[in-house]
């Protein structure tokens, strides 16, 4: 508390000071003090050199804080500003993608997370977001691949942390969704007039056997090369 208060007083006396600003915002970010971080960023932005990396870092942190506080409009404005100044900073694209996803702009969000992944391929959270977005737009195989990558990275970087558990649950949800879609596809072939199978629907033993045979047949069809190859 004393360190934070000292830094706050220092910035009031020396607005825009590089070292004080970085120290204070880094501390607030680490401790997830989002309201205070947003306030400090907005107060200090007019004092920072225009077009500088420090301004880009401030806009990124302000965007992150606004996202966590649910202020999506201001988050988008700040993180866009960060990207315009420093387009090669991966984590601005990550926050940008999260904001766009919360706004329902999934395709743009996916592009933003993919840009983050191209700049920071070892960052597991961008792969997690990619997997979640691909699942929402029904790109099942790609979603599974992205989440597997997120899990591998998280297990290597933070094996005892919470992220590997979260990623395993997300991957299990994709597997469940994929199995349900396979069942539904087979059921549509066998019983086109029936309502769509639900996740909790159970069939008779004979129907389950017929469904399994049809699922295997559809799997073999996907393995066959296109005609003429």
């Amino acid at each position: 508390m004393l360190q934070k208060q000292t830094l706050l007083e220092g910035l009031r006396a020396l607005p825009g000071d590089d070292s004080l600003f970085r120290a204070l915002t880094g501390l607030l970010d680490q401790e997830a003090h989002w309201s205070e971080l947003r306030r400090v960023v907005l107060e200090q932005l007019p004092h920072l050199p225009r077009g500088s990396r420090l301004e880009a870092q401030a806009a990124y942190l302000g965007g992150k804080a606004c996202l966590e506080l649910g202020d999506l409009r201001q988050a988008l404005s700040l993180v866009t500003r960060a990207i315009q100044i420093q387009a090669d900073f991966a984590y601005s694209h990550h926050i940008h993608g999260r904001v766009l996803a919360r706004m329902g702009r999934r395709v743009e969000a996916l592009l933003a997370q993919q840009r983050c992944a191209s700049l920071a391929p070892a960052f597991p959270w961008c792969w997690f977001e990619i997997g979640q977005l691909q699942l929402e737009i029904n790109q099942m195989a790609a979603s599974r691949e992205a989440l597997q990558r997120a899990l591998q990275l998280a297990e290597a970087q933070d094996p005892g942390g919470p992220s590997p558990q979260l990623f395993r649950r997300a991957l299990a949800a994709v597997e469940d969704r994929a199995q349900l879609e396979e069942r539904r596809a087979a059921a549509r072939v066998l019983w086109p007039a029936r309502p769509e199978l639900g996740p909790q629907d159970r069939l008779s033993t004979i129907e389950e056997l017929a469904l399994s045979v049809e699922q295997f047949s559809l799997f073999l069809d996907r393995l066959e090369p296109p005609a003429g190859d």
Side-chain angles (χ1 to χ4, degrees):
M1 182 66 71
L2 182 61
Q3 182 190 10
K4 184 173 72 172
Q5 190 59 36
T6 301
L7 291 169
L8 280 167
E9 291 173 1
L11 266 183
R12 290 192 189 105
L14 297 169
D17 182 87
D18 187 316
S19 58
L20 289 172
F21 180 80
R22 290 183 188 277
L24 179 57
T25 55
L27 180 64
L28 295 174
D29 182 30
Q30 183 180 5
E31 296 181 351
H33 291 167
W34 306 122
S35 293
E36 202 164 3
L37 178 58
R38 175 174 63 177
R39 180 179 59 77
V40 168
V41 166
L42 293 178
E43 286 177 356
Q44 292 297 313
L45 267 173
H47 303 287
L48 303 180
R50 294 290 294 177
S52 66
R53 285 182 174 264
L54 185 59
E55 183 190 5
Q57 180 70 6
Y60 155 73
L61 288 171
K64 181 178 180 181
C66 289
L67 169 63
E68 297 295 341
L69 293 167
D71 186 354
L72 300 182
R73 186 179 297 276
Q74 190 165 56
L76 183 60
S77 174
L78 285 167
V79 78
T80 300
R81 180 173 173 177
I83 291 169
Q84 287 171 343
I85 298 168
Q86 188 181 357
D88 61 351
F89 186 64
Y91 307 107
S92 290
H93 295 281
H94 175 64
I95 297 300
H96 191 209
R98 287 181 58 199
V99 172
L100 291 168
R102 289 273 297 274
M103 294 176 127
R105 295 160 61 177
R106 293 184 182 86
V107 174
E108 294 169 90
L110 181 57
L111 290 172
Q113 295 297 349
Q114 288 170 334
R115 177 62 176 151
C116 176
S118 72
L119 292 167
F123 181 48
W125 286 98
C126 66
W127 293 107
F128 171 74
E129 295 290 342
I130 287 170
Q132 295 290 81
L133 289 162
Q134 288 170 328
L135 178 62
E136 290 179 16
I137 60 178
N138 212 34
Q139 295 180 358
M140 211 74 63
S143 174
R144 184 188 292 115
E145 184 178 340
L147 290 171
Q148 286 172 340
R149 186 160 186 175
L151 178 58
Q152 290 168 358
L153 289 167
E155 287 176 333
Q157 296 170 16
D158 187 24
S163 53
Q165 297 177 27
L166 173 64
F167 297 166
R168 285 190 200 97
R169 289 196 297 271
L171 192 54
V174 172
E175 298 293 352
D176 290 344
R177 171 85 170 268
Q179 290 178 14
L180 176 60
E181 291 302 320
E182 289 172 1
R183 282 173 60 82
R184 284 174 170 171
R188 282 194 292 269
V189 173
L190 293 171
W191 309 296
R194 284 191 186 182
E196 186 105 294
L197 275 179
Q200 305 302 322
D201 288 349
R202 293 292 175 266
L203 304 174
S204 68
T205 303
I206 293 175
E207 286 177 328
E208 284 289 358
L209 179 59
L211 197 63
S212 297
V213 171
E214 186 58 39
Q215 281 182 244
F216 185 65
S217 175
L218 292 174
F219 169 73
L220 292 179
D221 288 345
R222 290 196 298 271
L223 294 181
E224 287 184 4
D229 282 5

